[in-house]
Amino acid sequence: MKQLYILLFPLLVLACGNSEKTEETTTKEETHSDELVISKAQFEGEKMAFGNLAEYDFNESVKVNGMIDVPPENKSSISTFIGGYVTKTPLLIGDKVKKGQLLVSLENTEFVEIQQSYLELAEQLNYLKSEFDRQKTLFEEQITSQKNYLKAESAYKSSLANYNGLRKKLQMMHINPKNVEQGNFTSNINIYAPIDGFVTKMNVSNGTYVSPSDMILEIVDTEHIHLELSVFEKDIMKIKKDQKILFQIPEVSNKTYTASVHLVGTTIDEKTRRVRVHGHVDNEEDNFIVGMFVEAEIITNQTKGVGLPKSAIIEVKDHAFALILEEQNNTEYHVEKIALNLGKQTEDYVEILNAEALKNKQIIVKGTSMLLNDSEGGHSH
């Protein structure tokens, strides 16, 4: 029994010794699993860069779509109230026009007939006026009957109404009534620009017949560009006047422009369940074109927070990490993988809620994408 005890004791000591050694090795491996070694040559080759925590604006926003537009008074659809054939169209789409500038000339024999009718009425009116005055005097002197007086009054006032109507029509056709009264007729009428702006639509060419229902061309004054945005019913209570708007025109560029909420609609479209929001663009000198599609976000709340660029974040299996510099020598960087607690995000930055762990540390903020696979397994480079 004594011999057996002596034999077992060394085995027990040996077993305990192996257990401690195994535990020590495991601990050492776990410690090193969060460390990476990056050669300086690799660091430069992958265009990596160090940076620090910084303060950024983190916005709560509502994403919306819309278009570039102008107020109704800055847009004019040109038509004619009397049909005719186009004889002159000096303009092309994109041409700038001033208020009062000639846009289109139209020709129609009906224009001449209107002038003839006006001149005939003008000449008749003199006779009817004198006859009315004569009958009035005779009636007052009880020489003529009331019937004759009322008949003369009716003929004169009826003709006067037609005369005034035709005179107004000539003025709307931009024909001077005085020229017509002198016998100078024209078969052409001119249409002039009612506002300053640019020609955005041109629907006619020489020889085209246009009727009163046709739009000849459209002029848009881009002096006061604005945004017409469409906001879902569920988000509209968050939108208030003067809130900042960030918007892009994806078909043109990735540049972000700014605007502000000016008017919030008070009615909901029954089909789309959306509300219109009108925004004023901050820099109207940018070359926006009316009708451009925009993607926008309306900033409903703005807070500041400490964070990192998204390029600094390594995401592995639903966990986020950053790499901080532990030490370096002539040939390599020793970095440590630190778990992150993420907060709000923008397109470029992420708020770090456990920022204390990274305070005053140098952090790899660029070039981390090539470390994704290696960091997942905890291998060093």
Side-chain angles (χ1 to χ4, degrees), residues 68-120:
I68 300 288
D69 207 350
V70 292
E73 64 270 19
N74 286 48
K75 187 186 289 186
S76 181
S77 295
I78 309 301
S79 59
T80 177
F81 69 93
I82 184 166
Y85 292 91
V86 176
T87 58
K88 192 176 182 182
T89 52
L91 299 169
L92 297 171
I93 289 176
D95 282 345
K96 187 174 184 178
V97 297
K98 288 282 186 186
K99 184 177 180 179
Q101 182 178 331
L102 174 66
L103 300 176
V104 174
S105 292
L106 301 177
E107 185 177 46
N108 196 335
T109 54
E110 191 180 340
F111 305 158
V112 177
E113 291 166 9
I114 292 168
Q115 293 165 80
Q116 285 175 332
S117 299
Y118 173 77
L119 183 58
E120 288 169 8

Side-chain angles (χ1 to χ4, degrees), residues 42-57:
Q42 190 179 24
F43 190 90
E44 289 173 12
E46 296 292 337
K47 295 182 179 175
M48 294 180 177
F50 285 113
N52 305 96
L53 288 169
E55 190 174 70
Y56 301 103
D57 288 326

